[in-house]
Amino acid sequence: MADSTRPANVSDPGEAIPSAGRLLFVAAGVVFWGWLLATWVNRWLGGPVVPVGEPFVAPGTVESALAALPLLSAYATDLAFVTRISPEIARGIWLTVVITVVSLAVGFFIAVPLAVARVYGRLTAYVSLVYTELLRGTPLLAQLFVLHFGLNMGQYVPVALSDVFARNVVWVAILGFVLNGAAYQAEYIRGAIESVEEGQLTAGRAIGLSKVETIYYVVLPQGLRYAIPSWTNEFVYLIKYSSLAAFITVPELYYRAFEIASDTFRYPMIFAVTGLAYLCLVLTATELMARVEDLVAIPGVGGDRER
């Protein structure tokens, strides 16, 4: 029963808490990505705003400003240090984002045929099974070592691609993450496809569609919606697992953070900042995939949160 003593035009104070938290979340995301994009663009254009490798605000200025604030004066030196290393952190985040996004996208186009072959194929089902079990059953770091140190795949990078990154080993890392991620995505998609009622395949054949057409037009549109939550997990995993690329000398976020820590010996501060950067990337990926899930949702079909 509604509280008759409460004015009709006054909202419950508790209802404002999620809105306030949401606003804070969005504001933090805007600040984080605004800083990243500004830093990246400034570097790509050769430093029109500040010299390449320099922060937008001088560390000395930050330290002086914070020293005058009673609540932040004790942290002025630390925050000035974070300001000083922020351009290098941004450089590392750039490669982390590239490796994650490219690996996820390319791996998806490998995973879908693997999943379909596993569910509907005969001989191809065994090929898909061997691939997924081999790649999921061995450590990703070991796979990267085999590709880089064992097979030396960097020497096979085409000349047209060798100038894209400063080190060809980045392409080796992307290859490793694509192959590994495709195996995991294939399993997620396989489970989603199997959740679609088998009768729909029969119904598609009954109206004149071939088996391939039925899978493409009837089964996959539903199954891929069911797979979005699992695909979100893979997105998050790739962001975090991209740090393994540092072990084959890819200068992504973790690699650059470790280099800075080795030079300055400020390990707790640097890895706290690095962890915060990873957290921001993970929250961004989660929010992005939630938007995708809402965008493709159909009432009564996978992805509908009202279900």
Side-chain angles (χ1 to χ4, degrees):
M1 180 180 297
D3 185 358
S4 58
T5 62
R6 182 185 299 274
N9 60 344
V10 177
S11 60
D12 187 343
E15 295 177 357
I17 295 177
S19 299
R22 178 72 181 174
L23 182 61
L24 182 62
F25 176 79
V26 171
V30 169
V31 171
F32 176 74
W33 283 102
W35 161 69
L36 272 183
L37 292 174
T39 303
W40 293 342
V41 171
N42 181 74
R43 185 176 190 85
W44 296 333
L45 297 181
V49 180
V50 295
V52 173
E54 294 293 326
F56 289 107
V57 181
T61 303
V62 173
E63 186 171 6
S64 300
L66 295 178
L69 301 175
L71 296 177
L72 297 176
S73 58
Y75 307 101
T77 302
D78 291 335
L79 294 176
F81 173 73
V82 172
T83 303
R84 179 164 65 85
I85 67 172
S86 60
E88 285 300 304
I89 295 296
R91 288 184 66 189
I93 292 175
W94 164 248
L95 267 187
T96 293
V97 170
V98 168
I99 291 172
T100 300
V101 172
V102 173
S103 300
L104 188 73
V106 177
F108 172 78
F109 288 103
I110 299 174
V112 172
L114 284 173
V116 171
R118 180 76 179 276
V119 177
Y120 298 109
R122 294 182 180 177
L123 177 61
T124 55
Y126 292 101
V127 175
S128 175
L129 175 63
V130 170
Y131 178 90
T132 55
E133 294 306 311
L134 177 64
L135 271 294
R136 292 194 310 129
T138 54
L140 174 56
L141 185 58
Q143 296 168 22
L144 292 175
F145 280 177
V146 169
L147 291 174
H148 180 55
F149 298 113
L151 301 178
N152 193 18
M153 294 300 294
Q155 66 179 327
Y156 302 111
V157 175
V159 176
L161 298 178
S162 61
D163 294 331
V164 175
F165 302 110
R167 304 180 187 180
N168 282 345
V169 70
V170 178
W171 289 112
V172 178
I174 290 175
L175 175 62
F177 285 110
V178 165
L179 296 177
N180 184 271
Y184 281 93
Q185 291 186 66
E187 282 299 286
Y188 299 147
I189 296 171
R190 178 182 69 85
I193 289 175
E194 290 180 338
S195 68
V196 178
E197 296 179 3
E198 293 184 7
Q200 298 201 31
L201 189 64
T202 304
R205 299 299 299 275
I207 62 174
L209 296 177
S210 67
K211 183 176 181 179
V212 173
E213 289 174 333
T214 303
I215 294 171
Y216 184 81
Y217 290 109
V218 178
V219 177
L220 281 180
Q222 298 177 66
L224 292 179
R225 289 183 172 91
Y226 289 127
I228 289 177
S230 298
W231 204 49
T232 302
N233 286 338
E234 181 63 18
F235 199 171
V236 170
Y237 290 152
L238 277 176
I239 291 173
K240 295 183 293 183
Y241 290 160
S242 66
S243 60
L244 294 177
F247 292 92
I248 58 172
T249 70
V250 174
E252 45 70 66
L253 176 56
Y254 178 82
Y255 182 93
R256 293 197 180 278
F258 187 80
E259 278 193 327
I260 297 170
S262 299
D263 291 338
T264 63
F265 297 101
R266 304 189 67 171
Y267 288 92
M269 171 61 67
I270 291 169
F271 284 111
V273 172
T274 304
L276 183 61
Y278 277 114
L279 178 61
C280 290
L281 292 176
V282 166
L283 291 177
T284 300
T286 303
E287 183 67 17
L288 177 62
M289 293 307 297
R291 292 285 175 263
V292 171
E293 189 174 0
D294 289 338
L295 183 64
V296 302
I298 297 175
V301 181
D304 178 19
R305 295 184 178 185
E306 301 295 324
R307 226 161 32 107

